[in-house]
Amino acid sequence: MWPNLLMYLLILASIPTRLETEAYQVLHLADFHLDIDYSIHGNNKKMCHEDGVQRNETLGEYGDYMCDAPKPLVQHAIDEAARLFPNPDLIIWTGDNVAHIEGYGWEVVLDAVNQTTSLLFSRFPGKTILPTFGNHDYAPSNSFVSESSLYTATWQLWKEKLGDQNKETFLKGGYYKYRLRNATAVVLNTNLYYMANNAYVNFTDKNDPADQFAFLENELANAERCPNRITENCTSTIHIVAHIGPGVFERTPNFTWFRDEYNERFLNLTVRYANSIGWMIFGHHHTDTFHLIKDSKENVVQLALMAPAVTPWFSDLPGAGANNPTFRVYDTDAYSKIEDIHTYYINLDELNKNSTTPFVFEYSFKDAYNIQGDINPNSMSDLLQKFKTDDNLFKKYIEYNTAFWKPEMPVGVYRGAQLCSMEYSDYPRYYNCLAEYSKSSEPSLKLPIFSLLAIIYTELFL
Ligand SMILES: *[C@@H]1O[C@H](CO)[C@@H](O)[C@H](O)[C@H]1NC(C)=O
Ligand SMILES: *[C@@H]1O[C@H](CO)[C@@H](O)[C@H](O)[C@H]1NC(C)=O
Ligand SMILES: *[C@@H]1O[C@H](CO)[C@@H](O)[C@H](O)[C@H]1NC(C)=O
Ligand SMILES: *[C@@H]1O[C@H](CO)[C@@H](O)[C@H](O)[C@H]1NC(C)=O
Ligand SMILES: *[C@@H]1O[C@H](CO)[C@@H](O)[C@H](O)[C@H]1NC(C)=O
Ligand SMILES: *[C@@H]1O[C@H](CO)[C@@H](O)[C@H](O)[C@H]1NC(C)=O
Ligand SMILES: *[C@@H]1O[C@H](CO)[C@@H](O)[C@H](O)[C@H]1NC(C)=O
Ligand SMILES: CC(=O)N[C@H]1CO[C@H](CO)[C@@H](O)[C@@H]1O
């Protein structure tokens, strides 16, 4: 009797597992910011570049928290990703290969992109790798236009991965789609929407630069119409991947990314087609966070995940700072579900002391946050509600936010910036949310000036 019952239960328990779709592992590397001028004899107040001054102490061979990543750090991150995950189904690489420097030309951009491309492609031969640009992958940074020579030059590096069918959109605006196993990735060049993008004045169509919104909407509408989950020519699920995501920077109050009208348009599309969108994955923040997307009735309909960076670079935006180097893996199914997210990191000081220090497991979303089921808009919305009242849980998030670089519980408007950026990707409701936290706290008074300065000097920031 008992053995039979046990057998029965075991069979029952195994049925859902067998009916579940195949596992699909996605490796994500974000924000290398390779700096070929990094020097152990450099000045860490000047990007660790040499300045002619003799110093008694040298900087770390693998980098410095004040500066961008030297080649050994980029190489180590890629080697370690390949050691831990030798056979991912998909690799997402969300751009920003060039360092936070100024006054450089195209040679620097193409060299950085070529070096990171060579490292990644040679370490993962034959793998599907989806690259995109970050706002620094341009000369000068933040000047993205349609039909740039950047797209022509990088097409030569990436065309074998992307395939001829993507040539037209890639050369037009640096964006493309890619059919995955049972879903389609739409990889966007959202640098066109960045508030700091100086080329805005030159856009021929300010409503839809490089026709990228039309492309995105067309793909989403096709997915909605797709008769089955997958056919030869369509899939019901679209994953959105880009460097900059919609919403606000979580560490600096009121620091928005997209221009207002582009943020609204982007969110409108993700709300309208929420049921056809699988994952939304971005980099750019250098920190580990997420944004919920809500419809006009406050229903949470989508989730945007921001992956932390490889570069440790210190941002002097108010409330920002540095981070430990990271990469992550999403355990997904073949369609749209993210079952869990595993982030790996390395303590940069330890690595500089011992060059064989490995990247180690940092945390699992499911385990650390005790999430039942998969990582979806509702489970993450529940988590955010808990952050507001459970300081121990919120403290974990703050530690992971910088991969343990000087974690400090934010107070006043900085706490508001964290919580409101996660809750509202749209600016109007974000501002209302933040106002609740600004009332009682003194630092807020100085912020508009800081933010203004930050916007003016934005090339230096992220
Ligand atoms: C470097 O070391 C020498 C000898 O120990 C010392 O005299 C000098 O002050 C040091 N210089 C700096 C910049 O620390
Ligand atoms: C890119 O890098 C590879 C490998 O380092 C090198 O052989 C090639 O000449 C480079 N190409 C360009 C365009 O810089
Ligand atoms: C805008 O176009 C003008 C005229 O072609 C050019 O001089 C300027 O550099 C462009 N600005 C940007 C930021 O691309
Ligand atoms: C898919 O597209 C190809 C070429 O564009 C076409 O020949 C084929 O009939 C389409 N298949 C379906 C199921 O729509
Ligand atoms: C977004 O949607 C709202 C509500 O439908 C509409 O009023 C607004 O004009 C849309 N904004 C943009 C930029 O498309
Ligand atoms: C360096 O790190 C490796 C891996 O953690 C360890 O096996 C080795 O003993 C360390 N070496 C030193 C000199 O501490
Ligand atoms: C944030 O921006 C909004 C809209 O511009 C403004 O009303 C508010 O005072 C700002 N809040 C802070 C804390 O700077
Ligand atoms: C669940 C699942 O993975 N279904 C299909 C996805 O697409 C491949 C073909 O690329 C099929 O073999 C799978 O059965």
Side-chain angles (χ1 to χ4, degrees):
M1 171 76 196
W2 273 109
N4 277 345
L5 183 61
L6 197 62
M7 185 76 86
Y8 177 71
L9 285 175
L10 278 176
I11 289 167
L12 255 191
S14 71
I15 286 171
T17 335
R18 270 196 272 119
L19 289 183
E20 259 173 32
T21 58
E22 300 155 49
Y24 193 79
Q25 187 183 64
V26 184
L27 170 66
H28 184 183
L29 293 142
D31 295 86
F32 287 126
H33 289 286
L34 167 65
D35 194 346
I36 52 165
D37 290 326
Y38 180 96
S39 165
I40 57 169
H41 305 295
N43 178 352
N44 76 351
K45 293 185 183 65
K46 292 182 180 161
M47 292 305 288
C48 301
H49 295 175
E50 285 183 25
D51 58 1
V53 177
Q54 289 277 339
R55 290 180 182 79
N56 291 345
E57 302 224 332
T58 54
L59 303 171
E61 194 194 330
Y62 288 86
D64 186 281
Y65 287 108
M66 295 305 292
C67 305
D68 274 323
K71 192 162 183 182
L73 176 57
V74 173
Q75 173 97 56
H76 192 54
I78 293 173
D79 286 349
E80 283 290 280
R83 179 181 66 83
L84 290 158
F85 303 98
N87 200 22
D89 295 291
L90 172 68
I91 300 172
I92 292 176
W93 168 29
T94 49
D96 259 2
N97 301 292
V98 177
H100 297 81
I101 50 176
E102 285 179 283
Y104 58 89
W106 282 112
E107 338 67 74
V108 169
V109 174
L110 296 177
D111 179 58
V113 174
N114 186 41
Q115 290 204 42
T116 46
T117 300
S118 299
L119 287 172
L120 204 52
F121 285 17
S122 65
R123 213 66 187 74
F124 291 95
K127 287 286 150 199
T128 303
I129 302 180
L130 301 184
T132 185
F133 305 108
N135 55 299
H136 287 269
D137 299 330
Y138 212 93
S141 63
N142 304 320
S143 308
F144 280 80
V145 289
S146 53
E147 286 161 13
S148 159
S149 63
L150 175 72
Y151 312 144
T152 341
T154 47
W155 178 250
Q156 295 307 320
L157 293 173
W158 296 344
K159 64 182 175 188
E160 265 152 54
K161 295 282 178 198
L162 306 189
D164 269 350
Q165 71 282 5
N166 281 314
K167 187 171 183 185
E168 192 187 328
T169 60
F170 193 87
L171 296 189
K172 184 193 243 183
Y175 57 89
Y176 60 96
K177 63 174 171 175
Y178 195 93
R179 174 69 180 256
L180 304 172
R181 191 181 295 163
N182 300 38
T184 304
V186 166
V187 183
L188 299 175
N189 176 12
T190 50
N191 306 300
L192 291 163
Y193 307 144
Y194 194 16
M195 175 184 71
N197 195 51
N198 299 309
Y200 176 76
V201 291
N202 289 346
F203 286 170
T204 45
D205 181 359
K206 290 188 167 52
N207 282 323
D208 189 4
D211 301 328
Q212 188 173 233
F213 278 124
F215 171 79
L216 174 60
E217 181 153 23
N218 186 48
E219 291 307 318
L220 292 169
N222 276 345
E224 198 176 59
R225 280 194 301 264
C226 193
N228 294 305
R229 279 181 120 179
I230 48 166
T231 71
E232 189 188 337
N233 295 342
C234 65
T235 65
S236 297
T237 301
I238 300 286
H239 301 310
I240 296 177
V241 176
H243 179 66
I244 311 179
V248 189
F249 184 40
E250 79 280 9
R251 294 184 72 89
T252 304
N254 263 1
F255 201 74
T256 55
W257 301 131
F258 291 171
R259 298 179 74 89
D260 292 22
E261 66 274 26
Y262 295 148
N263 199 57
E264 190 176 311
R265 179 127 184 230
F266 194 92
L267 292 174
N268 275 8
L269 281 174
T270 58
V271 169
R272 163 66 185 82
Y273 293 101
N275 293 334
S276 304
I277 299 174
W279 351 297
M280 295 179 64
I281 290 179
F282 307 93
H284 184 63
H285 289 221
H286 295 193
T287 46
D288 183 346
T289 191
F290 63 91
H291 294 167
L292 300 172
I293 296 171
K294 297 191 180 192
D295 68 11
S296 58
K297 298 189 186 78
E298 296 277 323
N299 301 310
V300 184
V301 296
Q302 264 302 336
L303 168 69
L305 294 161
M306 281 72 190
V310 170
T311 184
W313 179 78
F314 185 96
S315 160
D316 48 15
L317 280 176
N323 54 275
N324 278 306
T326 63
F327 54 79
R328 68 173 27 165
V329 155
Y330 309 88
D331 288 337
T332 79
D333 71 2
Y335 296 108
S336 61
K337 272 195 194 142
I338 297 182
E339 314 279 3
D340 201 359
I341 305 168
H342 295 109
T343 305
Y344 288 75
Y345 86 110
I346 197 163
N347 180 303
L348 187 59
D349 286 335
E350 297 301 317
L351 177 60
N352 281 324
K353 280 185 221 143
N354 179 349
S355 66
T356 55
T357 305
F359 271 71
V360 291
F361 177 62
E362 183 189 337
Y363 78 109
S364 127
F365 263 55
K366 251 177 117 77
D367 296 345
Y369 297 138
N370 193 21
I371 292 171
Q372 312 297 319
D374 55 319
I375 312 299
N376 62 44
N378 287 323
S379 60
M380 295 303 278
S381 177
D382 290 347
L383 177 64
L384 173 64
Q385 295 311 318
K386 288 186 199 146
F387 284 167
K388 293 179 187 172
T389 54
D390 182 342
D391 269 354
N392 286 330
L393 202 62
F394 188 51
K395 187 163 168 280
K396 274 192 190 175
Y397 162 83
I398 289 297
E399 286 169 353
Y400 303 144
N401 191 221
T402 56
F404 304 121
W405 180 85
K406 298 188 182 171
E408 223 178 273
M409 285 293 263
V411 293
V413 74
Y414 289 94
R415 179 182 166 85
Q418 283 282 1
L419 296 170
C420 299
S421 76
M422 286 186 264
E423 185 148 20
Y424 296 107
S425 298
D426 63 291
Y427 302 157
R429 282 183 291 190
Y430 168 87
Y431 294 140
N432 283 340
C433 173
L434 193 68
E436 292 299 312
Y437 293 89
S438 317
K439 280 173 192 156
S440 55
S441 71
E442 57 331 319
S444 70
L445 290 173
K446 298 192 196 107
L447 267 164
I449 300 161
F450 271 129
S451 300
L452 201 64
L453 278 177
I455 291 161
I456 293 167
Y457 293 113
T458 196
E459 257 132 314
L460 299 175
F461 306 115
L462 299 156

